[in-house]
Amino acid sequence: MEITQIIEKFKVAGNPTEIKQLTCGNINQTYRITMSDGVRYILQNININIFTDPVGLMNNIFGVCAHIKAKLPEEERDRRAMTFIDTKDGEHFYRDDDGKCWRMYVYIDAISYQSIEKPGLFYKAAKAFGEFQQQLADYPADTLAETIKNFHNTVSRFADFKAAIANCKLPERLEESKDVIDAFLARESLAHVAVDKLATGELPLRVTHNDTKLNNILMDEATDEGLCVIDLDTVMPGSVLYDFGDAIRFGAATTAEDDPDTSKMALDLDLFAEFVRGFIDGTNGSLTQTELDLLPEGAMLLTYECAIRFIGDYLNGDTYFKINYEKHNLVRARAQLALLVDMEKKLDDMRKIVKG
Ligand code: GN1
Ligand code: MG
């Protein structure tokens, strides 16, 4: 189906004058649409191979956005929360003739960063992610659909990783990744850091974002203030360690998550410290002592988790993450391993920073 025909299904006025495909994200396909009245939207194809319950997912998103909007002053609601558009039939998304699912939301004129380009930026991002979690602290968690089962259950991720090794049909990939695989197998105990403590209640279950990459936050172009947290597909009950950890994995690394030159990869402790300050300010004193104590392990945990997901996908024949070239997932896994090794060396430094 043509993009223009899909746009017509939504409650928007006028005709599209520009349709631009955006290249961000490893999962969904995204277009920026400009309408004849100048209003801009984002049209997104939800990857239903990954998000198998689009109804539950979109109900989550509409609920979460309404909850956040209700907490904002009227004049900030358009810029500080996402506004999703229903279809003309009153549905939260449109399913086309090929079974593809599409959703639309109002484009917010702001920027998102791929890396920390200037001082102070990471503090602002951290504060916004912390505030996001605060806004959802009283959200009825039992109404949220689990959009990806066991998304950050690292114990089950580790089992998936082992299954990918055992069932791998690409012997040359298994051979060339041997060093990486061994390094991850040797670190199995890390997989238990959060899962076990969530089970005993030592770590509280909260409503978390679960995909807190720096580029999932829109920032004001003039002031760099964090405006709006986006990419709400994985908002689900989880641990604060997930949001903290993934943000550090992506934002406090000295190079891109898929840099083939692993010698450039390290943890930037200054950025780590900046994020800790912003996150603590954003969550406004609500973190428990156990959560605070485990923040450094959270950074290692999420790096480890992402790494075993990348290498698992490589062994499975690249069925999950979008790739730009043949060995992309292996390169990603190697980069994450380099980051993890550096974090292990800096664990005491991280702990000192959190203690303050
Ligand atoms: C995916 O699509 P994107 O880039 O926001 C993935 C995250 C990974 C990330 C790694 C639903 O996020 O969990 O951390 O790639 N999202 C999903 O770049 O699997
Ligand atoms: Mg995402």
Side-chain angles (χ1 to χ4, degrees), residues 160-290:
D160 294 345
F161 165 55
K162 287 204 20 190
I165 301 169
N167 304 326
C168 183
K169 297 197 174 52
L170 303 159
E172 67 294 344
R173 287 197 173 192
L174 208 49
E175 184 56 38
E176 71 178 327
S177 342
K178 196 175 177 314
D179 58 321
V180 186
I181 293 173
D182 289 347
F184 295 142
L185 286 174
R187 288 167 169 82
E188 179 181 358
S189 61
L190 198 51
H192 291 269
V193 164
V195 172
D196 293 4
K197 292 197 170 59
L198 282 169
T200 59
E202 280 168 272
L203 279 174
L205 199 63
R206 301 176 182 275
V207 175
T208 48
H209 181 277
N210 297 309
D211 188 11
T212 46
K213 293 172 21 171
L214 178 68
N215 57 15
N216 276 337
I217 172 155
L218 298 181
M219 307 182 100
D220 185 279
E221 213 150 344
T223 64
D224 286 326
E225 192 198 348
L227 290 175
C228 181
V229 173
I230 59 168
D231 197 353
L232 308 179
D233 295 332
T234 52
V235 172
M236 285 182 279
S239 163
V240 74
L241 301 189
Y242 303 156
D243 282 3
F244 178 85
D246 200 49
I248 295 296
R249 173 191 77 76
F250 188 84
T254 50
T255 190
E257 70 173 4
D258 61 354
D259 192 330
D261 183 356
T262 53
S263 72
K264 285 201 214 139
M265 181 57 92
L267 172 74
D268 183 325
L269 280 173
D270 293 331
L271 287 179
F272 178 86
E274 205 178 307
F275 197 89
V276 168
R277 268 195 304 118
F279 200 66
I280 290 175
D281 287 353
T283 46
N284 201 15
S286 66
L287 301 188
T288 67
Q289 193 57 47
T290 309

Side-chain angles (χ1 to χ4, degrees), residues 24-28 50-51 148 151-152 157 210-211 213 215-216 231 233-234 246 249-250 257 305-306 309-310 320-321 332:
C24 52
N26 287 337
I27 306 292
N28 300 317
I50 291 174
F51 297 106
I148 297 181
F151 188 57
H152 284 313
R157 291 287 186 188
N210 297 309
D211 188 11
K213 293 172 21 171
N215 57 15
N216 276 337
D231 197 353
D233 295 332
T234 52
D246 200 49
R249 173 191 77 76
F250 188 84
E257 70 173 4
E305 181 194 293
C306 209
R309 291 175 64 197
F310 286 144
Y320 188 93
F321 295 104
R332 286 170 172 149

Side-chain angles (χ1 to χ4, degrees), residues 22-68:
L22 308 180
T23 52
C24 52
N26 287 337
I27 306 292
N28 300 317
Q29 240 176 21
T30 307
Y31 300 85
R32 192 188 67 195
I33 314 290
T34 310
M35 300 300 285
S36 40
D37 58 3
V39 181
R40 287 178 154 181
Y41 297 92
I42 292 289
L43 178 72
Q44 213 168 34
N45 171 226
I46 310 168
N47 184 333
I48 51 171
N49 294 324
I50 291 174
F51 297 106
T52 51
D53 173 19
V55 174
L57 180 141
M58 290 311 295
N59 283 340
N60 280 3
I61 291 185
F62 271 77
V64 162
C65 290
H67 191 86
I68 293 176

